[in-house]
Amino acid sequence: MIRLGGGPVERIVAVGAHCDDIAIGAGGTLLTLCLARPGVRVDALVLSGGGSEREQEERAALAAFCPGADLRLTVLKLPDGRMPVHWDEAKAAVEELRAGTDPDLILAPRTDDAHQDHRGLAQLIPTAFRDHLVLGYEIVKWDGDLGRPVAYQPLSPETAEQKVQLLQEHYASQRHRPWYDREAFLGLARIRGIECHERYAEAFAVTKLILNLGG
């Protein structure tokens, strides 16, 4: 949760079930934040892909998506698609992350994401981060689970293009997928931009928000 006008963003937590989730869902927002606030701390946790080619992709990609940031990335080895049966390991990782940082902002999957790994991670976040603003990012997929977001981060055309370029550059293992292309990423950003009277945007779900309008 966050109180409106509660101060600058100095620490960010970004979590993903898989390598590339964070970049796809919130890469433009990370670029925007990190360019605006050099030296911002970003603690990132990814539950799967550790020790593989995917981890190397993720490390290079997030370094590019977080220019000038104090980036601290952990990539675990939970099996893809099996997060619900590895609940204890995932919860321990989230609690360890919480013990090491008190962020101003958390970027995480949506709690109503159709993918069980995304959804499970999203449900764990508020069990450890109870008084923080959590923005639930969206990932387009065949499930057709895109909803009606309530929060938007406008992206300049340059940032939207840079996001697409970095996605294509750093995640070579995903280029064969039919949904992994420029049209999909820019198309969704254009739709979300229309919804907030901007050219491009990333959109987020918010489950709880505390206002401080008199502060």
Side-chain angles (χ1 to χ4, degrees):
M1 296 170 286
I2 193 170
R3 287 158 179 83
L4 192 64
V9 175
E10 302 288 354
R11 292 191 173 198
I12 304 167
V13 158
V15 298
H18 316 101
C19 297
D20 78 18
D21 285 355
I22 296 170
I24 292 173
T29 296
L30 282 173
L31 281 168
T32 300
L33 278 167
C34 292
L35 289 171
R37 302 200 64 81
V40 64
R41 176 168 163 178
V42 179
D43 290 276
L45 170 66
V46 179
L47 295 183
S48 63
S52 71
E53 171 196 16
R54 297 280 276 141
E55 178 178 355
Q56 299 309 310
E57 289 180 340
E58 186 75 340
R59 292 193 178 278
L62 288 189
F65 275 103
C66 301
D70 177 10
L71 174 63
R72 308 178 188 196
L73 170 62
T74 299
V75 183
L76 302 182
K77 298 181 179 181
L78 273 63
D80 187 357
R82 299 290 185 270
M83 188 268 182
V85 298
H86 291 269
W87 186 265
D88 288 346
E89 295 167 73
K91 183 170 176 58
V94 170
E95 290 177 345
E96 183 177 352
L97 177 64
R98 174 65 182 96
T101 186
D102 186 22
D104 303 301
L105 170 66
I106 299 172
L107 301 170
R110 298 177 298 126
T111 55
D112 56 353
D113 193 296
H115 194 297
Q116 68 272 15
D117 292 355
H118 301 172
R119 186 172 62 252
L121 176 56
Q123 291 167 347
L124 278 174
I125 292 301
T127 70
F129 295 91
R130 295 185 175 273
D131 297 302
H132 300 81
L133 173 64
V134 181
L135 297 182
Y137 57 72
E138 56 186 356
I139 297 178
V140 64
K141 51 183 148 339
W142 75 271
D143 305 82
D145 63 349
L146 296 179
R148 299 185 64 181
V150 297
Y152 297 84
Q153 170 58 53
L155 304 179
S156 68
E158 294 78 15
T159 298
E161 290 284 355
Q162 186 179 6
K163 173 183 175 177
V164 173
Q165 177 185 346
L166 292 176
L167 286 172
Q168 294 290 352
E169 177 183 347
H170 288 288
Y171 295 106
S173 66
Q174 304 304 298
R175 292 178 193 152
H176 69 284
R177 298 185 182 277
W179 53 268
Y180 198 90
D181 60 34
R182 171 187 172 83
E183 288 179 299
F185 299 134
L186 273 186
L188 180 58
R190 180 68 185 108
I191 290 170
R192 296 317 189 196
I194 290 170
E195 293 173 351
C196 65
H197 293 170
E198 298 285 347
R199 183 65 185 174
Y200 298 108
E202 286 177 338
F204 302 90
V206 179
T207 55
K208 189 175 289 187
L209 178 70
I210 293 179
L211 304 177
N212 185 21
L213 299 178

